[in-house]
Amino acid sequence: MLVQQVLMSSRLRTLSDHSPIICIGSGIEWRPEANFPSPVNAVSIPKKAGGKRILGIPTVADRIAQTAVKLTLEPQVEPHFHVDSYGYRPGKSAHQALAVTRQRCWRHAWVLEFDIRGLFDNIDHGLLMKAVRHHTDCSWVLLYTERWLTAPMQREDGSIDKRDKGTPQGGPLSPLLANLFLHYAFDRWMATHHSDVPFCRYADDGIIHCRTESHARYLHNQLAQRLKECGLELHPDKTRVVYCKDQHRKLQHDVIQFDFLGFNFRPRRSNGHGQAFTNFLPALSGTAAKSMRQAIRSWKLQLKSDKSIEDLANMFGPRIQGWIEYYCRFYRSAFWVIAHHLNRALVRWAMRKHKRLRGHETRAWQWLAEQAKRRPELFPHWRAGFVPYAGPMGAR
């Protein structure tokens, strides 16, 4: 956000050598081509599935330079990207990737679910710069991109690590470079050698749809070999052949579900034309649900008895709204488990807040149900219909 504000308040002009000068404030000019990137700051964040992910956070000045490069390079490479590449692209979204995957699972019985291990840490600099040069001959873009790729990483203990591969997550240019690399490493390879096989890729996660199990296993071997040629490898625990079992597909197989972009695809009960049947559908995944429950617990609502219910809605409503907008797009009833967790947290808060409710959980549920009935617009999940009930433990 800070970088965007700086660029919006800055003037960008170009000299005869096509090198930009970013004018910030009064009399301050800064040229990306004259900038030598500072070490990126290594910051570890937890992964949803466990473990740590290392981000490489550049300085504000380097973020400005990377944004300038991105604004120049993206229009040149974007038209060449594959239609089924959805991650970090303008006009593309995770919901689009999920929708097309759902439709193709209905038409194809088998799926090769794959994940590329440590993509951002293992991109080959030589191959990446070859791809960049194929799309631009702008000298300052090439110069700064190459400099940034080799900028060292400063660890939390102050030590400096040299880098000869990878494009660290955390900078505005990194997702574009990763997409460009995988465009040639995967997307174009699939379009050339397996043009009749539909796929969907979102950054380093992907789904390949197959007609038979043997074809899926063949593609698994082919893809592993292709990525090895490009200096990458499939994640052994996150790459699997999955059977899309439904009402008409009744074979027995060890794996009949997969997770993609926070949703779990598996056989589910569905209704259509007045009849119930089994369909292969996406819904909120267990991993995503666990992450949201952990976030709700971290709010510690029961310790905020000094706050009013309106205060809580203002504090946490935007986060809840984001969850609903993303996870309720498909099979929205799966969100009830999170809505109940939210309502239960509000009940615990109410029992601390109001003396007459202390020690009376059923009465607290009745109070919360009355609040939702009188002011359904107060919390986003109430507006969406996930209201508390006055029955035992708020059950529906």
Side-chain angles (χ1 to χ4, degrees):
M1 181 61 69
L2 175 60
V3 173
Q4 292 176 344
Q5 292 174 350
V6 170
L7 289 175
M8 289 176 64
S9 63
S10 305
R11 293 183 294 110
L12 182 66
R13 58 188 178 89
T14 304
L15 299 179
S16 58
D17 62 352
H18 306 291
S19 173
I21 293 181
I22 300 176
C23 303
I24 306 174
S26 175
I28 303 176
E29 294 187 343
W30 183 77
R31 293 182 58 168
E33 72 163 9
N35 172 263
F36 286 85
S38 303
V40 294
N41 186 27
V43 176
S44 62
I45 61 172
K47 293 183 179 180
K48 288 184 178 180
K52 297 286 186 179
R53 174 180 287 111
I54 303 299
L55 301 182
I57 308 299
T59 63
V60 172
D62 287 332
R63 289 185 67 85
I64 293 173
Q66 288 185 38
T67 302
V69 172
K70 180 178 182 288
L71 293 174
T72 303
L73 182 61
E74 188 172 58
Q76 300 180 53
V77 300
E78 177 63 30
H80 300 278
F81 285 165
H82 197 280
V83 65
D84 283 314
S85 168
Y86 292 89
Y88 310 114
R89 294 183 59 190
K92 296 281 191 175
S93 71
H95 283 155
Q96 292 175 342
L98 290 162
V100 74
T101 299
R102 179 183 61 171
Q103 292 174 356
R104 288 170 178 170
C105 284
W106 294 339
R107 297 196 296 265
H108 299 77
W110 296 89
V111 153
L112 173 60
E113 171 200 13
F114 72 91
D115 177 273
I116 300 173
R117 172 184 272 175
L119 168 66
F120 289 89
D121 297 327
N122 294 294
I123 290 178
D124 184 280
H125 288 174
L127 293 176
L128 176 58
M129 287 308 302
K130 181 180 179 180
V132 175
R133 292 187 185 97
H134 180 73
H135 291 277
T136 183
D137 59 358
C138 182
S139 59
W140 70 269
V141 167
L142 295 172
L143 179 63
Y144 183 77
T145 300
E146 199 158 20
R147 285 177 178 175
W148 179 71
L149 286 176
T150 56
M153 176 175 287
Q154 183 172 352
R155 297 289 179 178
E156 295 178 354
D157 61 1
S159 61
I160 300 293
D161 293 343
K162 293 183 178 180
R163 294 194 297 116
D164 56 6
K165 63 179 180 179
T167 168
Q169 290 176 274
L173 184 58
S174 188
L176 178 63
L177 295 179
N179 262 339
L180 180 60
F181 189 87
L182 284 183
H183 171 70
Y184 289 102
F186 175 75
D187 301 347
R188 192 167 177 178
W189 174 79
M190 284 290 295
T192 301
H193 298 280
H194 304 282
S195 58
D196 59 335
V197 179
F199 71 88
C200 174
R201 182 179 64 80
Y202 195 99
D204 54 353
D205 295 325
I207 303 294
I208 302 175
H209 300 270
C210 308
R211 297 286 183 184
T212 65
E213 181 181 8
S214 60
H215 187 212
R217 298 198 180 281
Y218 168 77
L219 281 174
H220 185 180
N221 295 330
Q222 290 288 299
L223 179 57
Q225 180 60 35
R226 170 59 181 174
L227 293 180
K228 184 177 180 181
E229 294 171 357
C230 299
L232 301 174
E233 65 174 329
L234 293 172
H235 196 297
D237 299 328
K238 298 180 181 180
T239 302
R240 303 179 300 169
V241 173
V242 182
Y243 181 52
C244 303
K245 192 173 185 177
D246 62 16
Q247 185 85 0
H248 304 290
R249 300 167 181 160
K250 300 181 180 181
L251 296 178
Q252 297 299 315
H253 192 263
D254 292 339
V255 185
I256 58 171
Q257 61 180 313
F258 65 89
D259 285 0
F260 186 47
L261 301 178
F263 284 78
N264 175 256
F265 285 73
R266 67 171 177 83
R268 300 179 189 278
R269 295 285 289 174
S270 184
N271 295 301
H273 306 291
Q275 293 183 336
F277 60 97
T278 301
N279 205 349
F280 197 81
L281 296 171
L284 169 67
S285 72
T287 301
K290 179 180 178 181
S291 177
M292 284 185 279
R293 288 194 298 267
Q294 289 175 339
I296 295 168
R297 284 195 293 271
S298 73
W299 298 346
K300 299 181 179 179
L301 299 189
Q302 72 277 12
L303 302 182
K304 292 179 169 57
S305 57
D306 60 318
K307 305 294 183 183
S308 68
I309 194 169
E310 293 82 8
D311 292 334
L312 298 182
N314 291 330
M315 292 168 66
F316 305 110
R319 183 83 176 271
I320 299 170
Q321 183 64 40
W323 290 342
I324 291 173
E325 290 179 359
Y326 186 75
Y327 290 108
C328 288
R329 182 66 66 91
F330 304 98
Y331 215 84
R332 61 180 284 125
S333 61
F335 193 78
W336 263 112
V337 64
I338 301 303
H340 180 70
H341 200 79
L342 282 165
N343 290 330
R344 185 173 179 81
L346 289 170
V347 163
R348 294 178 65 192
W349 166 84
M351 292 172 66
R352 288 285 192 95
K353 175 73 173 179
H354 303 287
K355 290 184 178 180
R356 64 186 178 87
L357 300 180
R358 290 177 185 174
H360 299 282
E361 187 171 355
T362 299
R363 190 182 299 173
W365 276 106
Q366 293 171 346
W367 177 87
L368 192 66
E370 181 62 27
Q371 295 296 314
K373 183 178 180 180
R374 289 194 297 108
R375 295 187 291 175
E377 77 289 345
L378 191 58
F379 286 93
H381 63 296
W382 293 358
R383 292 197 298 269
F386 300 102
V387 296
Y389 288 79
M393 303 297 288
R396 296 177 58 196

